[in-house]
Amino acid sequence: MRYAFRVQYIGKNYAGSQLQLCNGKPIDTPTIQGELEKALCTLIKSDNRSNDDVVTGYKRPIKTIFSGRTDRGVNSKGQIVHFDTEECIVASKFLYQMNEILPVDISVDNLKEVPETFHAQKSAKSRHYRFEFINRRCKNAFDGDLMRVKFETDIDRMQKSLSYLLGEHDFSSFKSSGTLNPSKVCTLTRADCKRLGDLVVIDIEGNRFLYNMVRTIVGTLLEIEGHKLPPEHMKDVLEARDRTKAGQTVSPYGLTLLEVTY
C-alpha cells in the first residue's frame, strides 16, 4: 500500500530535506528525510526490510519520496511525501504517534492512502513558494531569522519586474551549478509581491523549479531595487540565460514551500 502525508518543518537545523550520502552511505548530519524515515521505522515493524535505493544501492527499511528538494534553512508548510508499506495504517493514531516521535520542528498531517501510481514528485502539477524579508533600516528583536533589507523597496516596481517571469521560459540565468536536471525550462503561473508593514512577501508558483531558482530571483529583484535599475532589467537577465547576469542567491531564511498541487 502507498500512503502520502503533508510535512511541515523549520529548516534551519537541518542540512536540507534530502538524505546526505557519500559513496552510497548516509552522512551523519540531520535531514528532514532522515528524521521521517527513523520515525516511520519506529512505528512500522512488519515491513519489507530490503528496500534498496536504485541509485545508490543503500538499503533503507522505509524509503520516503518527497515532492521536491529543499535546501538547508528552507521551511515547509506543504511538503508532500509518500512511502510504501505492507501495513494498513489508521490515520489518526499514526499521525499522533509520528508527531510525538518527530523533533519539535517537524510535524506531519493529512495522511491518506493513495494509488500505486501516485508519485509525490512526478505527479505534482505545481509548487508554491513564498519568500519573506524585512524592509527596514534598523533591526528589531523579533525579526527572527528573516533577512533585513535596509534600502527602500518599491512594491509596484518589484511587481513589474516579476511580471516578466510569468509563462514558460528558460531560467538558466537563475539556476545554481547544483541543478541536476538538464532541462532549464519552467513555467511560472504566479509571481507577485505585497507589503505588510515592514514585511515584504513574494509569492512564486510554477510547475517546477531549478536549484536555488527562487532565491536567485529574489536576489535579482533586490539588485534592481538597490541600484534603481529599470524593471525591464529582469527581462534582460531572463533572456540572457547566463547566471552571471543575475543577482546574488539570497539567504534561505524566509523561504517556505507553501503548497504542492496534484
Short mmCIF file of all heavy atoms in Angstrom, two decimals, residues 9-18 20 29-32 69-77 105 129-132 144-147 211-212 215 250-257:
data_model
loop_
_atom_site.label_atom_id
_atom_site.label_comp_id
_atom_site.label_asym_id
_atom_site.label_seq_id
_atom_site.Cartn_x
_atom_site.Cartn_y
_atom_site.Cartn_z
N TYR A 9 8.01 21.81 8.37
CA TYR A 9 9.27 21.84 9.11
C TYR A 9 9.91 23.22 9.06
O TYR A 9 9.67 24.01 8.15
CB TYR A 9 10.26 20.79 8.60
CG TYR A 9 10.48 20.74 7.11
CD1 TYR A 9 11.40 21.59 6.48
CD2 TYR A 9 9.82 19.81 6.32
CE1 TYR A 9 11.63 21.52 5.12
CE2 TYR A 9 10.03 19.74 4.95
CZ TYR A 9 10.93 20.58 4.36
OH TYR A 9 11.16 20.52 3.00
N ILE A 10 10.71 23.48 10.08
CA ILE A 10 11.57 24.66 10.13
C ILE A 10 12.96 24.18 9.76
O ILE A 10 13.54 23.34 10.44
CB ILE A 10 11.55 25.30 11.53
CG1 ILE A 10 10.12 25.75 11.87
CG2 ILE A 10 12.51 26.48 11.60
CD1 ILE A 10 9.94 26.21 13.29
N GLY A 11 13.50 24.70 8.67
CA GLY A 11 14.67 24.08 8.08
C GLY A 11 16.03 24.47 8.62
O GLY A 11 17.03 23.87 8.23
N LYS A 12 16.09 25.43 9.53
CA LYS A 12 17.41 25.97 9.90
C LYS A 12 18.31 24.98 10.64
O LYS A 12 19.53 25.14 10.66
CB LYS A 12 17.26 27.24 10.72
CG LYS A 12 16.67 27.06 12.10
CD LYS A 12 16.61 28.41 12.83
CE LYS A 12 16.07 28.27 14.23
NZ LYS A 12 16.04 29.58 14.92
N ASN A 13 17.73 23.95 11.26
CA ASN A 13 18.54 22.98 12.00
C ASN A 13 18.88 21.73 11.19
O ASN A 13 19.40 20.76 11.73
CB ASN A 13 17.80 22.56 13.27
CG ASN A 13 17.68 23.70 14.26
OD1 ASN A 13 18.59 24.52 14.41
ND2 ASN A 13 16.55 23.79 14.94
N TYR A 14 18.58 21.76 9.86
CA TYR A 14 18.76 20.58 9.03
C TYR A 14 19.57 20.90 7.77
O TYR A 14 19.50 22.01 7.25
CB TYR A 14 17.40 19.98 8.65
CG TYR A 14 16.61 19.57 9.87
CD1 TYR A 14 15.72 20.46 10.47
CD2 TYR A 14 16.80 18.32 10.44
CE1 TYR A 14 15.03 20.10 11.61
CE2 TYR A 14 16.11 17.96 11.58
CZ TYR A 14 15.22 18.85 12.16
OH TYR A 14 14.56 18.50 13.30
N ALA A 15 20.30 19.91 7.30
CA ALA A 15 21.10 20.06 6.08
C ALA A 15 20.23 19.80 4.85
O ALA A 15 20.61 19.04 3.95
CB ALA A 15 22.28 19.10 6.12
N GLY A 16 19.06 20.40 4.82
CA GLY A 16 18.14 20.22 3.71
C GLY A 16 17.14 19.11 3.96
O GLY A 16 17.14 18.45 5.00
N SER A 17 16.27 18.90 2.97
CA SER A 17 15.21 17.90 3.12
C SER A 17 15.72 16.49 2.85
O SER A 17 15.25 15.53 3.45
CB SER A 17 14.06 18.21 2.17
OG SER A 17 14.49 18.21 0.82
N GLN A 18 16.69 16.34 1.95
CA GLN A 18 17.09 15.00 1.50
C GLN A 18 18.26 14.42 2.29
O GLN A 18 19.11 15.16 2.78
CB GLN A 18 17.49 15.07 0.03
CG GLN A 18 16.43 15.68 -0.87
CD GLN A 18 15.14 14.90 -0.89
OE1 GLN A 18 15.15 13.71 -1.22
NE2 GLN A 18 14.04 15.54 -0.55
N GLN A 20 21.75 13.00 3.08
CA GLN A 20 23.07 13.35 2.56
C GLN A 20 23.89 12.06 2.50
O GLN A 20 24.12 11.42 3.52
CB GLN A 20 23.75 14.37 3.46
CG GLN A 20 22.92 15.63 3.72
CD GLN A 20 22.76 16.46 2.47
OE1 GLN A 20 23.72 16.86 1.85
NE2 GLN A 20 21.51 16.74 2.12
N THR A 29 24.44 13.61 9.42
CA THR A 29 24.01 15.00 9.54
C THR A 29 22.49 15.02 9.48
O THR A 29 21.88 14.24 8.74
CB THR A 29 24.62 15.87 8.42
OG1 THR A 29 24.32 17.24 8.64
CG2 THR A 29 24.10 15.46 7.06
N PRO A 30 21.84 15.83 10.29
CA PRO A 30 20.37 15.78 10.35
C PRO A 30 19.71 16.31 9.08
O PRO A 30 20.09 17.36 8.56
CB PRO A 30 20.05 16.67 11.56
CG PRO A 30 21.22 17.60 11.68
CD PRO A 30 22.40 16.82 11.23
N THR A 31 18.74 15.55 8.59
CA THR A 31 17.94 15.97 7.44
C THR A 31 16.46 15.66 7.75
O THR A 31 16.16 14.83 8.62
CB THR A 31 18.32 15.22 6.16
OG1 THR A 31 18.07 13.82 6.33
CG2 THR A 31 19.79 15.44 5.82
N ILE A 32 15.57 16.29 7.04
CA ILE A 32 14.15 16.03 7.23
C ILE A 32 13.82 14.60 6.85
O ILE A 32 13.11 13.89 7.57
CB ILE A 32 13.30 17.01 6.38
CG1 ILE A 32 13.67 18.47 6.69
CG2 ILE A 32 11.81 16.76 6.63
CD1 ILE A 32 13.47 18.89 8.11
N ARG A 69 13.03 18.83 -3.50
CA ARG A 69 14.13 19.04 -2.57
C ARG A 69 14.13 20.48 -2.06
O ARG A 69 13.92 21.42 -2.83
CB ARG A 69 15.46 18.77 -3.30
CG ARG A 69 16.71 18.99 -2.46
CD ARG A 69 17.94 18.86 -3.35
NE ARG A 69 18.06 17.52 -3.89
CZ ARG A 69 18.77 16.55 -3.33
NH1 ARG A 69 19.42 16.77 -2.20
NH2 ARG A 69 18.84 15.35 -3.88
N THR A 70 14.34 20.66 -0.77
CA THR A 70 14.55 21.99 -0.21
C THR A 70 15.92 22.04 0.45
O THR A 70 16.39 21.04 1.00
CB THR A 70 13.47 22.38 0.82
OG1 THR A 70 13.46 21.43 1.90
CG2 THR A 70 12.09 22.43 0.18
N ASP A 71 16.55 23.21 0.40
CA ASP A 71 17.92 23.36 0.90
C ASP A 71 17.95 23.62 2.40
O ASP A 71 16.92 23.87 3.03
CB ASP A 71 18.60 24.52 0.18
CG ASP A 71 18.68 24.32 -1.32
OD1 ASP A 71 18.77 23.15 -1.75
OD2 ASP A 71 18.64 25.32 -2.05
N ARG A 72 19.16 23.60 2.94
CA ARG A 72 19.39 23.95 4.33
C ARG A 72 18.77 25.32 4.62
O ARG A 72 19.01 26.29 3.90
CB ARG A 72 20.89 24.00 4.62
CG ARG A 72 21.23 24.36 6.06
CD ARG A 72 22.73 24.62 6.21
NE ARG A 72 23.51 23.44 5.95
CZ ARG A 72 23.87 22.55 6.88
NH1 ARG A 72 23.48 22.73 8.14
NH2 ARG A 72 24.59 21.49 6.55
N GLY A 73 17.98 25.40 5.68
CA GLY A 73 17.40 26.67 6.07
C GLY A 73 16.03 26.96 5.50
O GLY A 73 15.34 27.87 5.97
N VAL A 74 15.61 26.21 4.47
CA VAL A 74 14.31 26.44 3.84
C VAL A 74 13.23 25.73 4.64
O VAL A 74 13.40 24.58 5.07
CB VAL A 74 14.30 25.96 2.38
CG1 VAL A 74 12.92 26.14 1.75
CG2 VAL A 74 15.36 26.71 1.57
N ASN A 75 12.10 26.40 4.83
CA ASN A 75 10.98 25.84 5.60
C ASN A 75 9.94 25.21 4.70
O ASN A 75 9.95 25.40 3.47
CB ASN A 75 10.30 26.95 6.42
CG ASN A 75 11.27 27.71 7.30
OD1 ASN A 75 12.17 27.13 7.90
ND2 ASN A 75 11.09 29.02 7.37
N SER A 76 9.01 24.49 5.31
CA SER A 76 7.89 23.93 4.56
C SER A 76 6.62 23.97 5.39
O SER A 76 6.64 23.70 6.59
CB SER A 76 8.17 22.48 4.16
OG SER A 76 6.97 21.85 3.72
N LYS A 77 5.54 24.31 4.71
CA LYS A 77 4.21 24.13 5.29
C LYS A 77 3.39 23.15 4.45
O LYS A 77 2.29 22.77 4.84
CB LYS A 77 3.47 25.48 5.35
CG LYS A 77 4.04 26.44 6.37
CD LYS A 77 3.20 27.70 6.48
CE LYS A 77 3.75 28.63 7.56
NZ LYS A 77 2.94 29.88 7.66
N ASP A 105 10.56 20.59 15.61
CA ASP A 105 10.49 21.46 14.44
C ASP A 105 10.08 20.73 13.16
O ASP A 105 10.26 21.24 12.06
CB ASP A 105 11.82 22.20 14.22
CG ASP A 105 13.03 21.28 14.30
OD1 ASP A 105 12.85 20.05 14.38
OD2 ASP A 105 14.17 21.80 14.29
N TYR A 129 5.97 28.65 -3.68
CA TYR A 129 6.96 29.09 -2.71
C TYR A 129 6.66 30.53 -2.28
O TYR A 129 6.17 31.34 -3.07
CB TYR A 129 8.37 29.05 -3.31
CG TYR A 129 8.98 27.68 -3.38
CD1 TYR A 129 8.82 26.88 -4.52
CD2 TYR A 129 9.73 27.17 -2.33
CE1 TYR A 129 9.39 25.61 -4.59
CE2 TYR A 129 10.31 25.91 -2.39
CZ TYR A 129 10.13 25.14 -3.52
OH TYR A 129 10.69 23.89 -3.59
N ARG A 130 7.02 30.84 -1.05
CA ARG A 130 6.90 32.21 -0.54
C ARG A 130 8.22 32.63 0.09
O ARG A 130 8.80 31.87 0.88
CB ARG A 130 5.77 32.31 0.48
CG ARG A 130 5.71 33.67 1.21
CD ARG A 130 4.45 33.79 2.04
NE ARG A 130 3.27 33.92 1.17
CZ ARG A 130 2.02 33.94 1.62
NH1 ARG A 130 1.78 33.80 2.90
NH2 ARG A 130 1.01 34.08 0.77
N PHE A 131 8.68 33.83 -0.27
CA PHE A 131 9.88 34.39 0.35
C PHE A 131 9.49 35.67 1.07
O PHE A 131 8.81 36.53 0.51
CB PHE A 131 10.96 34.70 -0.68
CG PHE A 131 12.28 35.03 -0.06
CD1 PHE A 131 13.21 34.04 0.21
CD2 PHE A 131 12.59 36.34 0.30
CE1 PHE A 131 14.43 34.34 0.82
CE2 PHE A 131 13.80 36.65 0.91
CZ PHE A 131 14.72 35.64 1.18
N GLU A 132 9.93 35.80 2.32
CA GLU A 132 9.61 36.97 3.13
C GLU A 132 10.90 37.62 3.61
O GLU A 132 11.84 36.92 3.99
CB GLU A 132 8.76 36.57 4.34
CG GLU A 132 7.42 35.95 3.97
CD GLU A 132 6.65 35.47 5.19
OE1 GLU A 132 7.28 34.82 6.06
OE2 GLU A 132 5.44 35.74 5.28
N GLY A 144 13.61 37.72 14.00
CA GLY A 144 13.95 36.30 13.86
C GLY A 144 15.04 36.08 12.84
O GLY A 144 16.02 36.83 12.78
N ASP A 145 14.87 35.05 12.00
CA ASP A 145 15.89 34.70 11.02
C ASP A 145 15.68 35.39 9.68
O ASP A 145 16.44 35.16 8.74
CB ASP A 145 15.90 33.18 10.79
CG ASP A 145 16.30 32.41 12.04
OD1 ASP A 145 17.29 32.81 12.66
OD2 ASP A 145 15.62 31.43 12.38
N LEU A 146 14.64 36.21 9.55
CA LEU A 146 14.35 36.83 8.27
C LEU A 146 15.45 37.82 7.85
O LEU A 146 15.99 38.54 8.68
CB LEU A 146 13.02 37.57 8.31
CG LEU A 146 11.75 36.71 8.48
CD1 LEU A 146 10.52 37.59 8.44
CD2 LEU A 146 11.68 35.62 7.42
N MET A 147 15.75 37.82 6.57
CA MET A 147 16.72 38.75 6.03
C MET A 147 16.17 40.17 6.14
O MET A 147 14.98 40.41 5.93
CB MET A 147 16.96 38.40 4.55
CG MET A 147 17.95 39.29 3.83
SD MET A 147 18.23 38.71 2.13
CE MET A 147 16.63 39.09 1.39
N TYR A 211 17.50 24.52 -9.06
CA TYR A 211 18.22 24.63 -7.79
C TYR A 211 18.51 26.10 -7.47
O TYR A 211 19.13 26.81 -8.26
CB TYR A 211 19.52 23.83 -7.89
CG TYR A 211 20.35 23.78 -6.64
CD1 TYR A 211 19.78 23.42 -5.41
CD2 TYR A 211 21.70 24.08 -6.68
CE1 TYR A 211 20.55 23.36 -4.27
CE2 TYR A 211 22.49 24.02 -5.54
CZ TYR A 211 21.90 23.65 -4.33
OH TYR A 211 22.65 23.60 -3.19
N ASN A 212 18.02 26.57 -6.33
CA ASN A 212 18.20 27.95 -5.85
C ASN A 212 17.51 29.00 -6.73
O ASN A 212 17.81 30.20 -6.63
CB ASN A 212 19.69 28.32 -5.74
CG ASN A 212 20.35 27.69 -4.53
OD1 ASN A 212 19.68 27.27 -3.59
ND2 ASN A 212 21.66 27.60 -4.54
N ARG A 215 15.50 31.84 -4.76
CA ARG A 215 16.41 32.72 -4.03
C ARG A 215 17.22 33.61 -4.96
O ARG A 215 17.56 34.75 -4.61
CB ARG A 215 17.33 31.87 -3.15
CG ARG A 215 16.59 31.17 -2.00
CD ARG A 215 17.41 30.05 -1.40
NE ARG A 215 18.71 30.51 -0.94
CZ ARG A 215 19.71 29.68 -0.62
NH1 ARG A 215 19.54 28.37 -0.75
NH2 ARG A 215 20.85 30.16 -0.20
N VAL A 250 20.11 34.80 -2.39
CA VAL A 250 19.91 35.33 -1.04
C VAL A 250 19.82 34.20 -0.02
O VAL A 250 19.73 33.02 -0.36
CB VAL A 250 18.65 36.22 -0.97
CG1 VAL A 250 18.79 37.42 -1.89
CG2 VAL A 250 17.40 35.41 -1.30
N SER A 251 19.80 34.59 1.24
CA SER A 251 19.71 33.65 2.36
C SER A 251 18.47 32.76 2.23
O SER A 251 17.42 33.21 1.79
CB SER A 251 19.63 34.44 3.67
OG SER A 251 19.20 33.61 4.73
N PRO A 252 18.58 31.47 2.63
CA PRO A 252 17.41 30.60 2.59
C PRO A 252 16.37 30.94 3.65
O PRO A 252 15.21 30.55 3.53
CB PRO A 252 18.00 29.20 2.84
CG PRO A 252 19.24 29.48 3.65
CD PRO A 252 19.78 30.77 3.10
N TYR A 253 16.78 31.66 4.69
CA TYR A 253 15.85 32.00 5.75
C TYR A 253 14.80 32.97 5.20
O TYR A 253 15.12 34.00 4.63
CB TYR A 253 16.58 32.63 6.94
CG TYR A 253 17.60 31.70 7.56
CD1 TYR A 253 18.90 32.14 7.81
CD2 TYR A 253 17.28 30.38 7.86
CE1 TYR A 253 19.85 31.28 8.36
CE2 TYR A 253 18.20 29.53 8.43
CZ TYR A 253 19.49 29.98 8.67
OH TYR A 253 20.41 29.12 9.21
N GLY A 254 13.56 32.61 5.38
CA GLY A 254 12.47 33.39 4.81
C GLY A 254 11.80 32.68 3.65
O GLY A 254 10.72 33.09 3.22
N LEU A 255 12.42 31.61 3.14
CA LEU A 255 11.82 30.86 2.03
C LEU A 255 11.04 29.67 2.58
O LEU A 255 11.57 28.88 3.38
CB LEU A 255 12.90 30.38 1.06
CG LEU A 255 12.42 29.58 -0.15
CD1 LEU A 255 11.45 30.40 -1.00
CD2 LEU A 255 13.60 29.10 -0.99
N THR A 256 9.80 29.53 2.12
CA THR A 256 8.93 28.45 2.58
C THR A 256 8.21 27.81 1.40
O THR A 256 7.66 28.52 0.54
CB THR A 256 7.87 28.97 3.58
OG1 THR A 256 8.53 29.59 4.69
CG2 THR A 256 6.99 27.84 4.09
N LEU A 257 8.22 26.48 1.34
CA LEU A 257 7.38 25.76 0.40
C LEU A 257 5.98 25.72 1.00
O LEU A 257 5.74 25.03 1.99
CB LEU A 257 7.91 24.34 0.18
CG LEU A 257 7.04 23.41 -0.67
CD1 LEU A 257 6.83 23.97 -2.06
CD2 LEU A 257 7.66 22.02 -0.72
#
